[in-house]
Amino acid sequence: MAAPLICPSILASDFARLGEEVAALEAAGADWIHVDVMDGHFVPNITLGPDIVKAIRPHTTLPFDVHLMVAPVDPWLEAYRDAGADILTVHPESGPHLHRTLGRIRQLGAKAGVVLNPGTPLSILEEVVDLVDLVLLMSVNPGFGGQAFIETTLRKIEKTRAILDAAGSKANLQVDGGVTSANAGACVAAGADALVAGSFVFKGGPSAYASNIQALKTAA
């Protein structure tokens, strides 16, 4: 089994050094850069606007995996794509027409992803599975970092993998929230092939990033 993609969330990084942080993550062996965008409305926090994403884009060649926790989300798709997003991932709850939103992301030339919160049913995915390049399962309720992994997510990963396989989908299955070396293996065994990790990757500072990323890949 191939090692999962490791997608460090810069929500846990040093915001005063974002350019240096993303460069250090690439040097440490990260696969994608996960960018958590929060609007203070859809979720109880405010983070990174498109101008900040644009500013850090030149500091790495890694794909930017932009998770939009924004409502309404449609007005922001083009701005984040123009800022350098390679993948735009949206919540079904963040707009009235998920099918149209995913189609618009693809029209903009980005990969389209759908995010399912712990309480969001998988039946939504079945209706749009042909339009997604990424399915992101939240293993915490979104809004802030440092939360504990919700164990029932493992069963949801299994069910999601079954839906993707039945549809013949090549979409990545990503897990985000409380991911550590202690649960990375269980996530991958259940069917995940991409792991978002914030606090675990960034602990110890830049000199520890490579060993932390390797610990996740080894555990998986």
Side-chain angles (χ1 to χ4, degrees):
M1 182 180 296
L5 298 170
I6 304 300
C7 319
S9 167
I10 59 171
L11 181 64
S13 70
D14 180 350
F15 276 24
R17 302 174 55 251
L18 277 176
E20 297 168 53
E21 291 278 55
V22 296
L25 291 169
E26 180 170 5
D31 297 293
W32 296 351
I33 301 295
H34 190 80
V35 182
D36 285 308
V37 177
M38 304 181 185
D39 65 355
H41 170 68
F42 186 69
V43 290
N45 203 346
I46 297 175
T47 57
L48 305 164
D51 285 347
I52 296 176
V53 175
K54 183 178 181 179
I56 62 175
R57 179 66 276 186
H59 292 267
T60 178
T61 62
L62 294 180
F64 274 11
D65 162 28
V66 178
H67 174 191
L68 294 172
M69 289 166 273
V70 176
V73 73
D74 288 352
W76 292 101
L77 300 175
E78 190 167 352
Y80 280 96
R81 173 59 177 157
D82 289 346
D86 298 284
I87 307 164
L88 289 167
T89 312
V90 299
H91 290 255
E93 300 89 350
S94 65
H97 304 295
L98 178 62
H99 188 279
R100 184 171 66 192
T101 299
L102 294 170
R104 176 58 179 154
I105 292 171
R106 285 184 160 187
Q107 286 176 352
L108 291 170
K111 291 185 176 181
V114 64
V115 195
L116 302 179
N117 287 336
T120 303
L122 286 174
S123 56
I124 290 176
L125 172 60
E126 293 175 322
E127 302 301 329
V128 295
V129 68
D130 59 325
L131 284 176
V132 297
D133 304 291
L134 173 68
V135 179
L136 170 53
L137 294 184
M138 294 301 299
S139 42
V140 298
N141 286 289
F144 53 93
Q147 300 182 70
F149 184 88
I150 297 172
E151 293 295 330
T152 53
T153 306
L154 294 173
R155 178 60 179 149
K156 197 168 187 177
I157 297 171
E158 293 175 353
K159 292 178 179 178
T160 304
R161 172 51 62 195
I163 291 171
L164 293 175
D165 289 350
S169 173
K170 301 299 183 184
N172 289 107
L173 176 47
Q174 187 180 58
V175 181
D176 180 6
V179 173
T180 70
S181 58
N183 53 38
C187 290
V188 173
D193 57 23
L195 303 175
V196 176
S199 302
F200 184 85
V201 168
F202 286 93
K203 66 182 181 181
S207 63
Y209 294 170
S211 60
N212 293 342
I213 289 170
Q214 187 57 46
L216 287 171
K217 293 195 175 190
T218 301

